Amino acid sequence: MKKFVTIALFIFWAVFTAVLTAGLVFYQNQQQQLVGGNNLAVPTAGQASKEANTKTQLVLDVAEIGKHKTLSDCWLIIGGKVYNVSTYLSQHPGGAGTIEPYCGQEATNAFQTKDIGRPHSSFASDLLKNYYVGNLNQAINQAAPAATGGSQAQTPAKTPAAAPSSQTAPTSASGNQTPITLNMTELAKHNSSKDCWLLISGKIYNVTSFLFAHPGGAGTITPYCGQEATRAFQTKDIGRPHSGSAVSMLASYYVGNLNQTTTQQQVQTNIQNTNAVQPAARGFEDD
Amino acid sequence: MNKFFQKYLAFVLVYVLALLPVLNWVRLESLSLRFVNLSATMTSLGQLTGLVGMTLFSISLLLSGRFRFLDSWFFGLNRVYDQHHKIGAIAFILLLFHPLLLAFRYLTFSVRSAALFLLGNDLSVVYGVIALLLMILLMVLTFYIKLKYPHWKISHKFMVLVFVFAILHSFFIYSDIARDPWLRFYILALAILGLLVGTYRAFFNKYINRDYDYIVKAVTPLSSNTVSIKLEPQGRALSFQAGQFVFVRFKSRGLSTESHPFSICSGPEEPVVKSLGDYTEKLTKLQPGELASVEGPFGKFSYRQAVHKQQIWLAGGVGITPFVSMAKDLNKSGHKVDLYYCVNEQAEAVLLKELMEIAKDNKNFRVFAWCSNDKGRINVEAIVYSSGDVLNKDIFLCGPEPFMVGLRQQFLKLKVPKQQIHWERFNFL
């Protein structure tokens, strides 16, 4: 028995140290890349002036957050952090209505107590991280001026599944009114776990924010990111279809039809609208 | 057949208890979904290792309770402790793989998310991380760093703390336990039982118990590592069978309040207990009149449970103690016994004189002393030479592990039926 314990201990420490070391090194590299790419929260003066043409700074103060107070554009302050939960509203098990009164406002207490004195599950807290925008009063770079581009702020890709960053299209630097065609080329750009679009039955869906919540694990979806996934969706790769609730959930991630020409702004609105109209399709406890 | 069934009932029960949550886990969601691809498979295995690891951890704590009923269910407390060790070690191995398997899913995103996960990205995960790291520390102390028994025993009590964190982790984390009421109830019931038993055994047994009160009458050092202590009951007296052992806690200044195992070396009339190891030295300072509380008796190592009345007893070193008690008990029962007392050198055979006295009065009881320094290790040929046929005799072994394992194999080779070979480890803790 001692032999097995020794082997298990050895494997544990080997993997544990490897992952931690790699994770830390990787993070530092990523940090440096972020600094280089001017995506970090507070750029140096030189960088800021260089980028001034295309990017403006957005300070996440109470006034700014107050602007995002509708169902289709809903930001919350929870524990000093700002979250854009617009795309999530329809999925809230308690219904979008319970969140709506807090849109554009401080919601820490509401989140912690659900207004009934009981906390959210840790899974819910995990999910919330997906919608992180920045810290309160933090200055973040915005891809396009708030006046023209609505409210989608570029997030400082903090969490690996930072969904909102993908919802602002990567081409956003050129302005949200730029027409884009939802063709295979455009689809193929969204091919990572941080930005994942799927083509299912001629329709394009942005499922980035759902990846982590997928009961079969995100790993089952990621191979299809940026690709045709009709068959995979219909058969789950095991010859069995998704449930009706899964099909209706999918609708809430609708971006547009294949080869449809649209604008960045339209894409955003589509995502938000479908979310807002959809009935609460899934709860936290579905996973 | 009935005896066979009885003998394995407890073992089967333990593994059924561990398997039930797995069956329930299978029922919860279709396996094709759980094992649809590598990532999902790893996650599922991660969940299973957690679930089974936690169940086994609970069972292991239940077995640490040192209950009399476990002693009879498992046919001897040393087998209970064997299972406690084995199940504890399996639980530990499973729990080591638990986070690694679950981290795989995060690895498909980024190494950083996996690293954050392993450090605890949520309070409920942090509970798990604390529990596992503390468990690793305690297991390293158990397996690799040979602490002195009393120190190790204190360190091992912290397992209860590990278990508390493990329970917090199990019930705050989002999992099948959170989702399924049956699983929740089952794991909770087992965990609470385990926690109660563990806490009782580790911390409260000293104060709440049904131990027997005894008073020290005489202390006689027999050798550097053996001491004989004569005890007299105050009120209730222990009733025991020859060959059984007890745990004794001495209420004396300068001695730890922990209980230690002692063999009973006397006939049933007045217990004389003998102890060994570095604790012995301290025991010689015991004064007559000091108080002792005795827990027991334990053990199923009795010549009365044998198939045949003709028997061979084999003692290795300190393993002689239960045989002394049995030898004193022999007179009236018509058994014919050859006892082999195996030591390294004559001086170690501290109880030989006492045994010779018994043999003088009982012509059906013969004692053979065997010093391995002179004659080499004892073997079956030598036994057959002195005792004749062994096939129709019951064999009793007590002594160090290699001594027992080696002889047992030799007897099996001679086609002595398994059920005729009985053994008890002396240092089972």
Side-chain angles (χ1 to χ4, degrees), chain A residues 7-257:
Chain A
I7 296 168
L9 262 177
F10 179 76
I11 296 175
F12 176 82
W13 282 113
V15 178
F16 190 74
T17 346
V19 170
L20 286 197
T21 320
L24 282 173
V25 172
F26 180 79
Y27 179 60
Q28 277 164 1
N29 289 345
Q30 201 182 37
Q31 285 275 28
Q32 280 159 7
Q33 278 167 13
L34 284 174
V35 172
N38 282 324
N39 274 331
L40 255 202
V42 190
T44 61
Q47 285 168 332
S49 62
K50 226 199 277 176
E51 297 290 325
N53 297 333
T54 53
K55 291 184 180 176
T56 58
Q57 281 217 335
L58 181 68
V59 178
L60 295 175
D61 57 8
V62 178
E64 173 60 31
I65 288 142
K67 293 180 193 163
H68 308 272
K69 59 181 179 192
T70 63
L71 271 181
S72 57
D73 180 17
C74 176
W75 286 17
L76 302 175
I77 307 171
I78 297 171
K81 289 176 174 169
V82 180
Y83 300 92
N84 177 356
V85 296
S86 319
T87 57
Y88 173 69
L89 286 177
S90 66
Q91 298 166 33
H92 187 231
T98 51
I99 300 181
E100 191 188 3
Y102 297 99
C103 288
Q105 292 175 36
E106 167 68 40
T108 311
N109 191 38
F111 179 77
Q112 280 167 357
T113 65
K114 297 203 239 180
D115 283 346
I116 51 166
R118 290 174 49 190
H120 272 90
S121 67
S122 60
F123 178 72
S125 310
D126 276 349
L127 205 55
L128 185 65
K129 291 176 196 153
N130 293 348
Y131 302 95
Y132 176 71
V133 177
N135 290 338
L136 189 59
N137 295 326
Q138 184 189 357
I140 61 166
N141 281 325
Q142 198 183 17
T148 60
S151 50
Q152 293 292 321
Q154 194 86 304
T155 68
K158 260 211 154 181
T159 59
S165 69
S166 66
Q167 281 151 13
T168 48
T171 49
S172 56
S174 48
N176 272 0
Q177 294 295 349
T178 323
I180 60 163
T181 306
L182 297 175
N183 56 19
M184 294 305 276
T185 324
E186 179 63 29
L187 176 68
K189 288 179 191 165
H190 307 270
N191 62 353
S192 72
S193 60
K194 288 173 189 164
D195 180 13
C196 179
W197 285 15
L198 302 177
L199 175 61
I200 297 171
S201 306
K203 289 176 174 172
I204 288 174
Y205 300 91
N206 176 357
V207 296
T208 318
S209 62
F210 176 69
L211 283 178
F212 254 143
H214 186 229
T220 52
I221 301 182
T222 41
Y224 296 99
C225 290
Q227 292 175 38
E228 161 68 43
T230 311
R231 213 183 101 80
F233 179 77
Q234 280 168 357
T235 66
K236 297 202 244 182
D237 280 350
I238 50 164
R240 292 173 47 187
H242 272 91
S243 65
S245 71
V247 176
S248 63
M249 268 158 60
L250 183 67
S252 62
Y253 300 97
Y254 176 69
V255 175
N257 289 338

Side-chain angles (χ1 to χ4, degrees), chain A residues 1-2 4-6 8-9 11-13 15-16 19-20 22-23 26-27 30 122-123 125-126 129 160 193 211-212 214 216-220 236 238 240 284-287, chain B residues 30 32-33 36-37 39-40 86 89-90 92-93 96-97 99-100 105-107 109-115 118-119 121-122 124 132-133 136 140 143-144 172-174 179:
Chain A
M1 195 46 92
K2 189 177 170 179
F4 293 113
V5 170
T6 311
L9 262 177
I11 296 175
F12 176 82
W13 282 113
V15 178
F16 190 74
V19 170
L20 286 197
F26 180 79
Y27 179 60
Q30 201 182 37
S122 60
F123 178 72
S125 310
D126 276 349
K129 291 176 196 153
S193 60
L211 283 178
F212 254 143
H214 186 229
T220 52
K236 297 202 244 182
I238 50 164
R240 292 173 47 187
F284 283 131
E285 327 304 338
D286 276 356
D287 190 8
Chain B
S30 83
S32 51
L33 250 184
V36 64
N37 59 14
S39 174
K86 203 166 139 192
I90 296 174
F92 179 54
I93 292 172
L96 278 176
F97 282 106
L100 301 187
R105 190 161 160 181
Y106 288 85
L107 269 180
F109 278 91
S110 71
V111 188
R112 178 169 153 75
S113 67
L118 286 179
L119 288 176
N121 55 4
D122 183 277
S124 52
L132 191 59
L133 292 182
I136 291 173
V140 166
F143 278 103
Y144 307 102
F172 282 107
I173 200 121
Y174 182 78
R179 189 163 65 158

Side-chain angles (χ1 to χ4, degrees), chain B residues 49-102:
Chain B
T49 48
L51 204 55
V52 179
M54 188 61 191
T55 316
L56 290 179
F57 196 177
S58 307
I59 294 173
S60 172
L61 274 171
L62 286 176
L63 293 182
S64 74
R66 204 190 286 165
F67 295 118
R68 295 280 308 276
F69 74 88
L70 289 176
D71 183 54
S72 48
W73 282 17
F74 283 86
F75 284 82
L77 195 66
N78 61 328
R79 284 183 180 79
V80 179
Y81 277 105
D82 277 352
Q83 288 302 311
H84 167 78
H85 297 159
K86 203 166 139 192
I87 291 169
I90 296 174
F92 179 54
I93 292 172
L94 290 176
L95 293 174
L96 278 176
F97 282 106
H98 170 63
L100 301 187
L101 289 165
L102 288 178

